[in-house]
Amino acid sequence: MKLPLLLVLLLLAGAAGAQETVGTPVDTTAAVVDTIPPAPVSDVTARDHISNNDGGDRIEVHWALSPDDGGEETGDVTGYLVMRSTEPDAPADTAGVAGAGETMYLDRDAVPGQTYYYHVAATDGVNLSEFVTSPSVRGVRSFFQPSRAAVLVLTLLFFGLVITFTNLAQRGTDLFVRRIPGLNAIEEAVGRATEMGRPVLYVPGIGEIDNIMTIASLSILSHVARITARYETPLIVPTARAVVMSAAEEVVKEAYAQEGQIDRYNPDNIRYLSDAQFAFAGAVNGIMLREKPSANLYLGAFWAESLLLAETGFEAGAIQVAGTAMVSQLPFFVTACDYTLLGEELYAASAYLSKEPKLLGSLKGSDYMKVISIALMLSGLILRIAGYEAFSNWFRTG
Amino acid sequence: MRREVPIAITFLVGMFMIVDFFVPHAYVSASAEELKQWGTIIIAASILLGIGNLLRVHSKKIARKEEGWGYSIVLLAIMAVMLWFGLWPGETLGPNEMVGTVEEGSYFNWMFLNMQVPLQATMFSLLAFFIASAAYRAFRLRSAEASLLLIAAIIVMLGRVPLGQALTQNLPEKAQLPWLTEVIMEYPNMAAFRGILMGAALGVMAMGLRIILGIERSYLGGEK
């Protein structure tokens, strides 16, 4: 009997020990009830929240933390109660709650045009502080996004420069444009293909038609097609998007017509291959190895397939000119191609090739905007170092 | 008229999208969203043009028995099979076997996951070998720039692997390969990256403006 009794006592002792280490010690005195509310918040403000698709139904409420809010540390405050009324003293409805340490609540349920007053109180989970009321506020459907004011000013400045230089160019002002070796090489590459009796391969990237790089590429394709039409050299255009194929057909056909070579236009050379990135790359590589073009032009939006194409073209012995604004793909093209158009050169190519004054004017506008951008960046940097942050903050969009 | 109408549409839609960027009003945003959805639907519907082009080009190839015409047969046959399983009216054959849908468990989905995805992965994996051969050519000491590229590449590649860390762990921190790697990536590399990116951004804006104003029209086919 002694052994079982000892075991029972040991188990009870263990259980009691566990109770002491795991559980909360039992308070035998009467529980102390917290009846002291936290200190109230201060500086309660409310303003119309402007966002995209602004329906005037969102209002931001801001306040300064209660002195009893520990913020990151543990404090007495467990959260904030935000109430809303249409009159300063009218009964209020609950708008929502915010956690401890938070100084903003976004009311997503306001009636557009209705005047509101917001009342904010701190809570410790049991008691509420006094409510502090904001000035009146109304949610309206906004017609301007103030955070984008800097972008608007710079955009208007840029557009002004482009239009000014375009007009100057139209009046006959001689505009100097630096030489771009990659673009000069295009005609040379087509000439080489003509001599060898082999086709020219033009890949407009795998971007959709709404990608500006694809549009730029189609503009260059127009010039390339005119050269191939003039030299009577076959031009193969594989595409990864059906709309791009359709646009490329139109561009090439028109270029051949302008050169008086419409009978040489072969619609079967403008090919839709596949929307799938690597299926497209595989198919283009197949064209390179089977039809052996002697000039490969890669101009447009490219992703990981860039090196698959360029390296296969190199192995096939073709002269290669590439151009993209996809910065991550530029090293691959620079390594594997004879000439590469870097970033903006792709967008400048059409103007450069056509030598049309209006287009050259827009290039000049871009160059002057670049100078202004550099000057603004340097000014912002110097002012920030000197402790003036207002200037650089004005350019923030978020 | 053939050229003026598309240019007019481009101008109106382009200007409206610029306005949408600056005007948050719900009516403007909703209209812009509607326009974007139209674009998406038009682009999706254009797949029929692609299928038509594929059929035309490859049927001719087979008919003329041009070089590689066997591949054209394979392509058209596989396209027909995928279309059949994707479009055939739905019919459940078992708990997880659906015909005529593209849902998980359907034949179409099974073929996509077990045929197309591995083939694409194979193509992607070829990049490793292409990178090696391209790097070999790029890093050959032919010029001052190539030498600079080679030195930077060696530091960065070694600095990103445990071996590089182990090689220089006893040196002062600022002589260790990982630290040098970070310096190269954060300063000269990032500066060049941002320079190109900013130039490209301005290029996009200029190009966009040229298109919206109808100055650039060669993408419509010719300039006249």
Side-chain angles (χ1 to χ4, degrees):
Chain A
M1 277 299 286
K2 279 186 180 177
L3 191 63
L5 182 66
L6 189 64
L7 274 171
V8 170
L9 286 171
L10 279 169
L11 284 169
L12 285 170
Q19 182 77 11
E20 275 182 20
T21 53
V22 178
T24 312
V26 179
D27 186 5
T28 52
T29 61
V32 179
V33 179
D34 180 6
T35 55
I36 304 164
V41 299
S42 54
D43 301 332
V44 178
T45 56
R47 66 167 182 250
D48 182 21
H49 177 79
I50 301 172
S51 62
N52 275 354
N53 202 10
D54 188 14
D57 54 353
R58 295 181 182 195
I59 292 171
E60 288 174 35
V61 186
H62 295 263
W63 60 87
L65 291 177
S66 156
D68 292 335
D69 188 331
E72 296 290 308
E73 309 297 321
T74 309
D76 186 35
V77 173
T78 57
Y80 295 93
L81 178 64
V82 182
M83 308 284 280
R84 188 179 77 182
S85 63
T86 52
E87 297 291 338
D89 305 319
D93 299 322
T94 302
V97 291
E102 290 180 23
T103 57
M104 196 274 275
Y105 173 77
L106 180 62
D107 182 4
R108 298 165 189 267
D109 194 29
V111 176
Q114 171 72 57
T115 301
Y116 288 110
Y117 296 85
Y118 284 86
H119 318 274
V120 184
T123 175
D124 58 10
V126 180
N127 310 288
L128 274 178
S129 71
E130 285 174 39
F131 279 96
V132 180
T133 303
S134 75
S136 66
V137 63
R138 271 189 326 133
V140 290
R141 292 189 174 104
S142 305
F143 281 94
F144 184 62
Q145 176 63 277
S147 65
R148 291 178 179 170
V151 181
L152 178 63
V153 170
L154 291 175
T155 303
L156 291 174
L157 176 65
F158 180 54
F159 284 10
L161 282 169
V162 169
I163 290 164
T164 303
F165 281 100
T166 302
N167 287 336
L168 281 175
Q170 278 181 297
R171 285 189 215 137
T173 309
D174 191 28
L175 299 173
F176 170 75
V177 178
R178 71 181 168 85
R179 206 174 141 269
I180 303 176
L183 292 173
N184 295 336
I186 288 178
E187 191 147 2
E188 179 196 323
V190 177
R192 184 168 172 260
T194 310
E195 284 168 19
M196 296 173 82
R198 282 167 35 191
V200 171
L201 179 74
Y202 187 100
V203 187
I206 63 166
E208 199 40 276
I209 195 76
D210 60 358
N211 188 318
I212 196 86
M213 281 184 246
T214 308
I215 304 264
S217 180
L218 289 172
S219 295
I220 301 166
L221 174 62
S222 174
H223 301 289
V224 171
R226 290 178 73 168
I227 300 168
T228 56
R230 216 175 298 144
Y231 289 176
E232 299 178 6
T233 306
L235 172 66
I236 301 169
V237 185
T239 63
R241 311 283 172 203
V243 179
V244 177
M245 175 212 75
S246 189
E249 276 181 344
E250 199 62 36
V251 164
V252 175
K253 191 177 176 181
E254 190 73 29
Y256 272 67
Q258 283 180 4
E259 290 297 317
Q261 296 276 24
I262 193 67
D263 54 326
R264 290 195 168 273
Y265 167 67
N266 179 4
D268 291 348
N269 279 345
I270 318 296
R271 302 170 195 172
Y272 168 76
L273 300 178
S274 171
D275 272 63
Q277 182 183 16
F278 294 109
F280 174 77
V284 174
N285 287 355
I287 290 170
M288 283 183 207
L289 297 173
R290 280 195 299 274
E291 304 187 38
K292 297 189 172 51
S294 74
N296 297 340
L297 310 176
Y298 313 106
L299 297 151
F302 291 88
W303 280 264
E305 72 289 345
S306 63
L307 192 64
L308 293 176
L309 302 174
E311 198 62 5
T312 304
F314 176 84
E315 294 294 330
I319 185 170
Q320 302 198 100
V321 180
T324 187
M326 302 291 287
V327 184
S328 55
Q329 301 309 316
L330 282 171
F332 299 126
F333 277 143
V334 168
T335 303
C337 296
D338 299 285
Y339 300 94
T340 306
L341 306 180
L342 305 174
E344 63 179 318
E345 290 177 343
L346 175 73
Y347 304 116
S350 174
Y352 186 94
L353 286 166
S354 70
K355 299 281 188 289
E356 205 181 308
K358 281 189 294 184
L359 296 175
L360 291 176
S362 75
L363 289 192
K364 265 288 178 265
S366 302
D367 286 347
Y368 276 89
M369 191 65 208
K370 240 177 285 177
V371 171
I372 291 167
S373 301
I374 291 165
L376 287 171
M377 277 189 282
L378 286 173
S379 308
L381 182 71
I382 291 160
L383 288 168
R384 215 173 168 84
I385 290 167
Y388 299 103
E389 295 188 1
F391 180 76
S392 53
N393 285 345
W394 187 68
F395 290 91
R396 285 179 182 274
T397 53
Chain B
M1 274 301 280
R2 189 171 159 269
R3 189 71 42 91
E4 282 72 9
V5 172
I7 288 171
I9 293 170
T10 304
F11 175 78
L12 291 171
V13 174
M15 290 308 283
F16 184 74
M17 295 317 272
I18 291 173
V19 167
D20 171 56
F21 182 78
F22 294 107
V23 177
H25 197 290
Y27 294 161
V28 176
S29 298
S31 308
E33 200 52 45
E34 192 75 21
L35 276 174
K36 286 176 197 168
Q37 283 178 9
W38 284 6
T40 306
I41 291 163
I42 291 165
I43 285 169
S46 72
I47 192 70
L48 293 172
L49 293 171
I51 292 170
N53 181 278
L54 272 173
L55 286 170
R56 193 186 70 220
V57 170
H58 291 278
S59 304
K60 279 184 185 175
K61 227 175 172 181
I62 294 163
R64 293 173 189 162
K65 289 201 166 48
E66 286 176 23
E67 189 191 352
W69 65 281
Y71 298 118
S72 297
I73 292 176
V74 172
L75 184 138
L76 293 181
I78 289 173
M79 193 166 80
V81 168
M82 292 298 273
L83 276 170
W84 170 256
F85 281 108
L87 300 175
W88 198 33
E91 182 188 320
T92 305
L93 296 179
N96 284 318
E97 292 182 310
M98 291 178 287
V99 179
T101 71
V102 294
E103 306 297 326
E104 200 176 331
S106 66
Y107 290 165
F108 181 95
N109 187 259
W110 185 90
M111 286 190 291
F112 176 79
L113 292 177
N114 294 286
M115 293 179 186
Q116 188 168 329
V117 170
L119 284 169
Q120 293 196 139
T122 305
M123 281 298 296
F124 192 27
S125 64
L126 286 176
L127 259 182
F129 303 99
F130 282 134
I131 285 173
S133 64
Y136 168 74
R137 279 204 315 280
F139 298 161
R140 275 182 305 182
L141 290 157
R142 287 174 303 180
S143 62
E145 290 94 337
S147 311
L148 205 61
L149 187 67
L150 175 66
I151 294 162
I154 287 171
I155 292 170
V156 170
M157 286 193 290
L158 279 174
R160 289 273 163 101
V161 292
L163 174 68
Q165 293 169 23
L167 283 173
T168 54
Q169 63 186 0
N170 297 324
L171 296 173
E173 191 207 354
K174 292 191 176 177
Q176 288 182 15
L177 285 172
W179 188 85
L180 291 170
T181 297
E182 284 313 304
V183 168
I184 289 169
M185 294 305 288
E186 286 294 319
Y187 300 103
N189 177 69
M190 188 57 76
F193 188 95
R194 285 182 180 159
I196 293 170
L197 212 57
M198 284 168 58
L202 288 170
V204 166
M205 286 177 74
M207 181 88 192
L209 187 63
R210 290 202 301 261
I211 290 166
I212 288 168
L213 297 179
I215 298 168
E216 173 76 70
R217 51 182 71 186
S218 50
Y219 70 98
L220 292 168
E223 292 138 47
K224 305 264 183 317

